[in-house]
Amino acid sequence: MGMALVLLWLPIILAVGIGGRLLTRSTGYALGLLCALFWLLLLRVTLIAESWQQVDISLAIAAGALAIIAMGGWAGELSLAFKTSESKGGQADVHEGGWKDGSTNASVLQLANAIDRFDDWLSDDKLRDPWGGFDQFVRTVLFDCCAATRVKPYRLCNDGQELQPLHENDPNEEYGRIDARRGVVGHVVTTGRSYVKGLASSGELVDEIACENGEDIAWCFVAAKGNTRLGVITVGQLGIDPASSGPVLRAIERVVGQFWRTLVERIHCQEAVVTDPASGLLSREAFFHASENALKESYATGEPVAVAVFGLERLRELNDAGHWEVADDLVREVASVFQRKVRLEDCVGRYSNSRFIVLFRRVDSGLAALIASQILSRVEAVCANEARWKIAVQVRCGIVGSGNNTPGLNELVTGALQQCQRARTECVGLASDLDCVSVSGGVSA
Amino acid sequence: MKIEHQTLGTVDVLSPIGALVDEDAEQFRKMLLDVLQKPNPRVVVSLQEVAYFDSVALSSLLDASDELSDRAMSLKLTDMPTTCREALELTGIASRFRFFETVEDAVKSFL
């Protein structure tokens, strides 16, 4: 009998000690039930048959079985309480049937959804306005995950002196640039440690700074790449209790930080694709893409356009002779002329190794030739330094205008290339579909 | 294309409305040269409503500027859209004109 009493407690003790990670109240009851049945079996074997006939003994046995079941449940409770105290500050709180806190459960699910959505968002051609789109994405994620409102994501600018809103170009945006070194935000940017209002871990001093500056910030954290700060996100109000949701907030911080880093890398990749590395101008593919759009807009409003091709003769000789560094320097300096001399609404790119291409908007061939002749004279001035470039580089330019028709981009580019070839054949600086110009700096129409 | 012609005191103010291209540029050229036929022309061209212009319009402005500079005067342009201003600067002829923010400023400069 005594041995039986010891044996029936053994599974519970083992469950609490060894299987404690799985034991909850309901599983504790189930274990208690098993132990009660085991106890009844032992009694059935050890007690004489007449004892079962007596009412008082039967009641005592039933009471004992119920007590064992109750003790199983109690053991489950005890195990859960033990695990909860262990998990505070480290792991999420688990409760029977799910998460201890319903909001925590929802937060984690929303965070998982956000991870899925981010890939879709990235592949959804959002990179034309990446920061504006990301601003909205972050706001949505924080609202879904923790009912955060008054969310303000900022990017660091001016060598880390200032924070600019991701949505800075939006005229409806209500907040502007702020100092990156002041107040709670400054503390978070400097230390890289997140701030949650009222949490002891944030430090009383930081709370005091927030009060002194009157900052309406409930949560603030940085997005960083290694030791480099990328940006800061401030939240005015949290919809969950920060005291019991510390792990969730930390998980959100890390996931949003990862989103940010991924976006930055994607933008760098995108820029590498659209920008010619030597000149910093648009690559040929990117030029055609940008120009097609510009051409559509111009034709839609009846505006004329012109395409000019500038060719640097003998540039290839530099590369062939192994002076590729000199050639790259020359290309860089010529490109800087284009960057300075071409209007923002025009498109300029590197068509091939020795040729640059420009789409002039709102100009006819004549006016384009005037502008191109100015650019040509500047480029010629750059190329004139024969001692530096080791060879005499000649510059030719060919121009074609759309006139009153609406020729396609390919037709314009082909025409401009032909005019450039014509300029070379006729040994003139600039040739257009109107006339040939022998001397740069002016047009003889 | 409509070209408004105002006379403010002794100053002729021409305000073309729309893009100055092709026939419209020719029309503007004739109107500008007509104004320059006066014995002592004082001309202001407001380009506020001109989105862009072509080489014909530009050459009209240059001709007018040359005509006026022969009489020790200059052509005054006002309300210049950025695109037009950039075109003048890129072609290196911006220095041949005088620019004003508003027609009133340009008219006052004759006083």
Side-chain angles (χ1 to χ4, degrees):
Chain A
M1 180 69 187
M3 188 63 182
L5 283 171
V6 171
L7 283 174
L8 69 89
W9 283 106
L10 193 59
I12 296 176
I13 294 164
L14 285 174
V16 172
I18 300 169
R21 284 179 180 276
L22 298 172
L23 195 61
T24 61
R25 184 166 46 189
S26 55
T27 52
Y29 278 124
L31 197 59
L33 181 63
L34 283 174
C35 290
L37 289 172
F38 180 62
W39 184 63
L40 289 173
L41 187 66
L42 285 174
L43 289 177
R44 184 78 180 88
V45 172
T46 52
L47 288 180
I48 54 172
E50 286 74 23
S51 301
W52 291 91
Q53 307 293 329
Q54 295 172 26
V55 177
D56 53 342
I57 290 178
S58 297
L59 284 175
I61 290 171
L66 287 172
I68 291 170
I69 293 168
M71 274 187 241
W74 173 77
E77 287 276 11
L78 194 68
S79 169
L80 182 61
F82 178 71
K83 280 192 293 185
T84 302
S85 65
E86 264 190 343
S87 66
K88 272 188 181 171
Q91 297 173 2
D93 302 343
V94 183
H95 195 266
E96 64 168 329
W99 298 81
K100 185 179 182 184
D101 184 1
S103 64
T104 305
N105 186 19
S107 296
V108 173
L109 284 173
Q110 289 296 343
L111 197 57
N113 287 338
I115 294 168
D116 293 338
R117 283 206 316 272
F118 184 68
D119 288 337
D120 296 338
W121 179 81
L122 266 186
S123 60
D124 197 20
D125 202 17
K126 289 289 192 303
L127 293 179
R128 288 183 185 177
D129 177 23
W131 293 113
F134 188 60
D135 177 285
Q136 192 54 49
F137 185 80
V138 168
R139 288 166 191 254
T140 307
V141 167
L142 294 187
F143 181 79
D144 290 346
C145 293
C146 53
T149 53
R150 302 203 301 277
V151 177
K152 296 176 183 177
Y154 296 92
R155 265 188 300 166
L156 277 162
C157 60
N158 284 350
D159 293 327
Q161 305 291 309
E162 277 188 317
L163 291 165
Q164 73 173 82
L166 295 189
H167 233 150
E168 193 174 53
N169 295 328
D170 185 351
N172 299 319
E173 196 48 74
E174 75 281 8
Y175 66 99
R177 293 189 177 203
I178 59 172
D179 193 334
R181 296 162 301 177
R182 295 192 61 187
V184 169
V185 173
H187 168 80
V188 171
V189 170
T190 308
T191 62
R193 293 176 58 194
S194 59
Y195 163 77
V196 183
K197 189 177 185 179
L199 270 196
S201 58
S202 295
E204 287 179 14
L205 185 63
V206 186
D207 278 333
E208 283 175 23
I209 293 172
C211 287
E212 284 171 10
N213 289 296
E215 289 174 285
D216 187 17
I217 295 175
W219 181 27
C220 179
F221 60 95
V222 290
K225 187 178 182 182
N227 291 325
T228 308
R229 310 274 183 264
L230 301 172
V232 177
I233 295 165
T234 67
V235 173
Q237 190 171 6
L238 275 171
I240 58 175
D241 178 21
S244 61
S245 307
V248 173
L249 295 182
R250 277 194 291 277
I252 293 171
E253 287 170 13
R254 287 178 186 178
V255 170
V256 170
Q258 185 58 51
F259 288 163
W260 201 306
R261 287 189 292 277
T262 304
L263 181 62
V264 167
E265 281 162 16
R266 183 64 74 91
I267 289 170
H268 287 165
C269 290
Q270 186 95 342
E271 285 171 353
V273 170
V274 301
T275 308
D276 172 60
S279 65
L281 302 175
L282 293 178
S283 63
R284 182 165 56 189
E285 190 184 355
F287 170 82
F288 272 83
H289 182 71
S291 296
E292 286 283 4
N293 293 331
L295 207 62
K296 273 183 201 165
E297 286 174 19
S298 291
Y299 286 166
T301 51
E303 295 169 4
V305 298
V307 170
V309 170
F310 293 80
L312 305 182
E313 288 179 12
R314 302 184 66 195
L315 184 69
R316 190 177 171 180
E317 288 177 29
L318 279 176
N319 285 315
D320 290 347
H323 302 304
W324 55 270
E325 286 178 330
V326 178
D328 281 355
D329 282 346
L330 177 58
V331 165
R332 259 191 293 276
E333 293 212 10
V334 169
S336 74
V337 172
F338 285 105
Q339 282 164 338
R340 286 197 309 271
K341 288 291 169 187
V342 171
R343 298 170 300 177
L344 284 176
E345 63 182 6
D346 299 331
C347 298
V348 57
R350 192 173 180 194
Y351 184 78
S352 65
N353 182 46
S354 61
R355 284 182 289 196
F356 298 85
I357 188 165
V358 184
L359 175 83
F360 293 110
R361 296 182 69 183
R362 298 176 167 189
V363 292
D364 62 338
S365 297
L367 190 49
L370 277 173
I371 296 172
S373 67
Q374 291 292 313
I375 296 172
L376 189 64
S377 64
R378 301 281 177 159
V379 174
E380 281 176 340
V382 168
C383 297
N385 192 346
E386 203 173 323
R388 183 178 174 195
W389 309 124
K390 301 180 189 300
I391 55 166
V393 179
Q394 286 288 323
V395 191
R396 312 284 181 196
C397 175
I399 299 176
V400 163
S402 62
N404 294 323
N405 303 317
T406 54
L409 185 60
N410 283 339
E411 193 179 335
L412 286 169
V413 172
T414 305
L417 286 167
Q418 285 169 352
Q419 290 296 335
C420 193
Q421 182 58 34
R422 182 180 153 220
R424 186 180 181 186
T425 310
E426 298 180 10
C427 290
V428 293
L430 188 149
S432 79
D433 50 355
L434 294 178
D435 203 351
C436 268
V437 181
S438 57
V439 182
S440 61
V443 172
S444 57
Chain B
M1 184 202 190
K2 187 181 170 188
I3 302 174
E4 287 181 358
H5 183 183
Q6 283 179 285
T7 306
L8 300 174
T10 59
V11 181
D12 288 291
V13 180
L14 296 181
S15 307
I17 297 170
L20 273 178
V21 290
D22 302 330
E23 291 86 9
D24 297 333
E26 286 292 349
Q27 185 192 343
F28 173 70
R29 182 189 190 88
K30 282 178 191 165
M31 207 160 177
L32 191 57
L33 292 176
D34 282 347
V35 173
L36 291 174
Q37 297 304 313
K38 289 185 178 178
N40 188 21
R42 292 177 165 184
V43 187
V44 170
V45 178
S46 169
L47 295 168
Q48 187 172 21
E49 301 296 329
V50 177
Y52 58 96
F53 50 69
D54 65 3
S55 49
V56 177
L58 186 61
S59 108
S60 308
L61 292 172
L62 281 173
D63 288 346
S65 172
D66 290 344
E67 180 80 23
L68 288 167
S69 64
D70 288 345
R71 303 184 206 183
M73 300 171 85
S74 59
L75 184 61
K76 300 182 179 185
L77 306 178
T78 73
D79 305 301
M80 197 83 173
T82 311
T83 303
C84 297
R85 179 71 183 251
E86 283 178 337
L88 293 182
E89 284 170 357
L90 288 174
T91 49
I93 54 176
S95 59
R96 293 165 71 170
F97 304 99
R98 287 189 65 191
F99 298 96
F100 294 88
E101 289 290 313
T102 62
V103 171
E104 287 73 25
D105 291 343
V107 171
K108 279 179 192 169
S109 71
F110 284 107
L111 298 176

